[in-house]
Amino acid sequence: MNPLFADERKAQIAAYVQTHKSVTVSMLAQMLATSESTIRRDLQELEEHGHLRRTHGGAIAVEVASFEPTWQEKHVRHAQEKVRIARCAIKRIAPGQTVLLDGGTTTYQIAKQLSIDGVTVITNSIDIAAELSMRPGVHLVVLGGEFRNTTGALVGPFTEQMLSGVHVDIAFIGANGVDPTGITTPNTLEAATKRAMVACAQTVCVVADSSKFGQVSFVRVCEWKDVDVLYSDAPLQDPELAGVLQRNDVIYAYDAQDAE
């Protein structure tokens, strides 16, 4: 293959990732009329030169991989959408169940709206624990671990060890990125803790507003085969993601009452 063409192809890939922040191998192969194996080699070379970060099934821009908004920043972003997601997700909770709430601003909205008596809530979130601490009908269990002030969550080996000893009926997991390959988050400790949450739950529910769709963060948490329900705020517009969810029997749910 002509070396100049290869250089041009890699330049186009780098420019696309810089503009769109994420891309899949299959998309690039189709766009550039070449094989997926060639694209993977290009991505490896581009990553070695610091132009992008490879992910499972594609690549993301370098700044996307490391960026993590603070809890306060995320709390005000898409606030109404998160309220609607919580309103929809909370319908799955029944009296007597054990519910795991991951740290996050969408799961925090679930805690705020939780008014079901006889529920046990396990959480690694300081904010969720504070919200539920005076709720008489809720039996609250707070996980220990390393505190991350960026997310207000307790994470790490201690948290994972505690999670390994419990079984919950439902886990509500937050995500920074949602794409056809699964869900992602910027931090390795957060990702490992979320994976432990997935492992201890009978039903795994991901809660993510639609601004997270098509985004990919640094660390893969899980694939769609590990998820039962994806709660969001609007009808699903991505046909590739819709197909993956259908093939993995993942229910897609949103609050149709307020969706445009």
Side-chain angles (χ1 to χ4, degrees), residues 115-179:
S115 60
I116 304 168
D117 290 340
V119 173
T120 296
V121 175
I122 302 174
T123 187
N124 67 328
S125 165
I126 297 297
D127 299 284
I128 289 174
E131 178 67 31
L132 295 176
S133 61
M134 301 301 291
R135 208 75 61 84
V138 173
H139 177 216
L140 178 64
V141 179
V142 183
L143 298 168
E146 178 182 336
F147 179 69
R148 295 194 71 234
N149 56 13
T150 306
T151 59
L154 297 156
V155 298
F158 291 135
T159 319
E160 295 163 42
Q161 184 177 5
M162 292 183 71
L163 286 165
S164 69
V166 302
H167 172 81
V168 302
D169 295 301
I170 309 172
F172 292 97
I173 311 294
N176 292 73
V178 174
D179 77 320

Side-chain angles (χ1 to χ4, degrees), residues 13-14 17 43 46-48 50-54 59-62:
I13 293 172
V17 172
L43 293 179
L46 287 166
E47 182 179 49
E48 289 171 356
H51 296 299
L52 49 76
R53 185 74 59 83
R54 284 187 299 162
I60 57 176
V62 174

Side-chain angles (χ1 to χ4, degrees), residues 83-110:
V83 169
R84 295 206 304 270
I85 292 169
R87 188 166 62 201
C88 185
I90 211 165
K91 296 174 184 176
R92 184 165 287 270
I93 303 173
Q97 288 188 319
T98 300
V99 179
L100 177 57
L101 293 180
D102 180 22
T105 52
T106 306
T107 48
Y108 176 74
Q109 289 298 329
I110 294 176

Side-chain angles (χ1 to χ4, degrees), residues 16-227:
Y16 186 93
V17 172
Q18 186 64 32
T19 301
H20 296 86
K21 306 306 179 187
S22 67
V23 70
T24 64
V25 170
S26 59
M27 184 184 299
L28 287 172
Q30 185 176 4
M31 285 169 48
L32 299 172
T34 190
S35 68
E36 292 191 2
S37 60
T38 297
I39 294 297
R40 291 191 185 95
R41 287 195 297 270
D42 289 344
L43 293 179
Q44 182 175 351
E45 291 182 26
L46 287 166
E47 182 179 49
E48 289 171 356
H49 288 87
H51 296 299
L52 49 76
R53 185 74 59 83
R54 284 187 299 162
T55 65
H56 177 72
I60 57 176
V62 174
E63 66 269 21
V64 173
S66 58
F67 176 68
E68 183 175 15
T70 65
W71 194 94
Q72 291 77 11
E73 290 171 333
K74 288 187 284 188
H75 186 66
V76 298
R77 291 180 181 178
H78 308 286
Q80 290 306 310
E81 288 84 349
K82 292 171 184 177
V83 169
R84 295 206 304 270
I85 292 169
R87 188 166 62 201
C88 185
I90 211 165
K91 296 174 184 176
R92 184 165 287 270
I93 303 173
Q97 288 188 319
T98 300
V99 179
L100 177 57
L101 293 180
D102 180 22
T105 52
T106 306
T107 48
Y108 176 74
Q109 289 298 329
I110 294 176
K112 284 194 69 173
Q113 297 186 40
L114 185 62
S115 60
I116 304 168
D117 290 340
V119 173
T120 296
V121 175
I122 302 174
T123 187
N124 67 328
S125 165
I126 297 297
D127 299 284
I128 289 174
E131 178 67 31
L132 295 176
S133 61
M134 301 301 291
R135 208 75 61 84
V138 173
H139 177 216
L140 178 64
V141 179
V142 183
L143 298 168
E146 178 182 336
F147 179 69
R148 295 194 71 234
N149 56 13
T150 306
T151 59
L154 297 156
V155 298
F158 291 135
T159 319
E160 295 163 42
Q161 184 177 5
M162 292 183 71
L163 286 165
S164 69
V166 302
H167 172 81
V168 302
D169 295 301
I170 309 172
F172 292 97
I173 311 294
N176 292 73
V178 174
D179 77 320
T181 64
I183 67 171
T184 51
T185 193
N187 182 266
T188 55
L189 288 177
E190 295 265 4
T193 299
K194 289 175 189 288
R195 281 194 288 271
M197 291 178 172
V198 169
C200 76
Q202 180 176 334
T203 301
V204 177
C205 302
V206 173
V207 290
D209 67 81
S210 52
S211 71
K212 310 285 183 61
F213 291 6
Q215 302 298 314
V216 183
S217 289
F218 180 39
V219 190
R220 178 75 51 200
V221 174
C222 66
E223 300 175 2
W224 291 114
K225 64 182 178 62
D226 305 310
V227 177

